[in-house]
Amino acid sequence: MTTEHRTANAPAPHASGSRQAHDFFAVLAGRTATRRFTGEPIDDATLDRLVTAMLAAPSASNKQAWAFVAVRDPARVRRIRAFAPGVIGVPPLLLVACFDGSRAPDDQRMPEVGVLCVAMAVQNLLLAAHALGLGGCPVSSFLAEPVRRLTGLPEHITPVLVVPIGHPDREPQRSVRRDDSEVVRYERW
Amino acid sequence: MTTEHRTANAPAPHASGSRQAHDFFAVLAGRTATRRFTGEPIDDATLDRLVTAMLAAPSASNKQAWAFVAVRDPARVRRIRAFAPGVIGVPPLLLVACFDGSRAPDDQRMPEVGVLCVAMAVQNLLLAAHALGLGGCPVSSFLAEPVRRLTGLPEHITPVLVVPIGHPDREPQRSVRRDDSEVVRYERW
């Protein structure tokens, strides 16, 4: 990745352990879906920062009914990817984000609500990745059973999103969005 | 709210339009669920920043199958709150975050995936609120039909989360979290 592929707020990956400031609103505005990656690996310190950011998400009734498997082994990434057509490039990190059905078994609404918390954790992960000069995207198009088998998930843990993360191999393109007035109304619809 | 209730990264609300830096990782780590608010209103400029942050979330297949109603009228906030027991204090802003079923009617998986995008947008909103010295929390315990009626939502738009936002009336308490090793595994579960 050449320097012109980074914004002022996305430091080089080797700076990820530093105390360099990452402006919050620039990170939010700059994040885009990244689907193709260089071959550069993700080191332990960077993975730790991503995991810490991810787990800082809100959790309904603080049940933390979630479970995550971080896969970096290239052979396992490729095997999972074979069942996840939404994963286009070969990422150095594949984060399998799951709902843990054992955490509030008597709460009938928990499956519906728990997946929202998983999604919020994934958004923290994607934002943190962008802040560290990485990219990724949430992928929902995958076959749950093969992913479950390849990551050794027990019955009560269900994969919700698969998230490829890595160093972008090109300048990310911003997607065209609907006009704000189409999707936000004030006081009533 | 007295100054000691703010962190170094959470400026006073009146500074929300400034170019003051908000460190990304401090915002992520500092966000907590805020449920009780002072009576201070949220001005148009602050609401605009919150909405912009919210709409910068990822969207599956870029369908943006979402819709949001921002309610500040105190009478309407109170009426909605009567059907949302998870909203404890009286917030100056209630954001009703919805799935729009009209955006990808032929995609059978869209309802399941679209709500995850709504949740990610809400996480952006909550993080932006914290960055601006505000607080909030995602609330899933509400009666959908009265909320739909009170906000004038058409049939194809379904409320997913109700999000109170305001100025915290006390120092937020951090929730106790499970040990990372319980919820994150490496390579396989």
Side-chain angles (χ1 to χ4, degrees), chain A residues 22 24 64 68 123-124 178, chain B residues 22 24 64 123-124 178:
Chain A
H22 311 73
F24 171 77
Q64 303 160 68
F68 304 93
Q123 177 61 357
N124 272 15
R178 301 167 70 189
Chain B
H22 311 73
F24 170 78
Q64 304 161 69
Q123 177 61 357
N124 272 16
R178 301 168 71 189

Side-chain angles (χ1 to χ4, degrees), chain A residues 18-175:
Chain A
S18 77
R19 295 200 159 274
Q20 183 173 347
H22 311 73
D23 180 68
F24 171 77
F25 287 98
V27 171
L28 238 73
R31 186 215 56 79
T32 59
T34 298
R35 297 178 185 277
R36 295 182 192 275
F37 310 96
T38 70
E40 194 178 344
I42 288 183
D43 62 28
D44 291 351
T46 302
L47 181 54
D48 281 351
R49 290 195 83 176
L50 294 173
V51 164
T52 299
M54 186 172 71
L55 298 179
S59 166
S61 307
N62 199 24
K63 292 294 181 192
Q64 303 160 68
W66 52 34
F68 304 93
V69 184
V71 181
R72 288 186 291 179
D73 173 45
R76 197 184 305 272
V77 167
R78 284 175 189 277
R79 283 198 294 272
I80 295 171
R81 187 173 163 272
F83 297 99
V87 179
I88 294 169
V90 181
L93 167 65
L94 203 55
L95 207 299
V96 182
C98 311
F99 169 67
D100 180 346
S102 71
R103 291 289 296 171
D106 298 332
D107 183 344
Q108 294 188 339
R109 295 200 59 240
M110 187 48 80
E112 190 185 329
V113 175
V115 296
L116 303 181
C117 303
V118 172
M120 291 181 180
V122 166
Q123 177 61 357
N124 272 15
L125 168 69
L126 291 167
L127 290 170
H130 180 64
L132 298 175
L134 302 167
C137 63
V139 169
S140 58
S141 58
F142 60 87
L143 294 178
E145 285 314 308
V147 169
R148 176 195 294 283
R149 179 169 42 79
L150 288 166
T151 50
L153 296 175
E155 273 303 305
H156 64 277
I157 295 182
T158 306
V160 176
L161 289 167
V162 167
V163 189
I165 300 277
H167 301 85
D169 87 335
R170 64 190 71 176
E171 184 82 31
Q173 297 298 308
R174 301 204 61 76
S175 53

Side-chain angles (χ1 to χ4, degrees), chain B residues 16-34:
Chain B
S16 63
S18 77
R19 295 200 161 273
Q20 183 173 347
H22 311 73
D23 181 68
F24 170 78
F25 287 98
V27 171
L28 237 74
R31 186 215 55 80
T32 58
T34 299

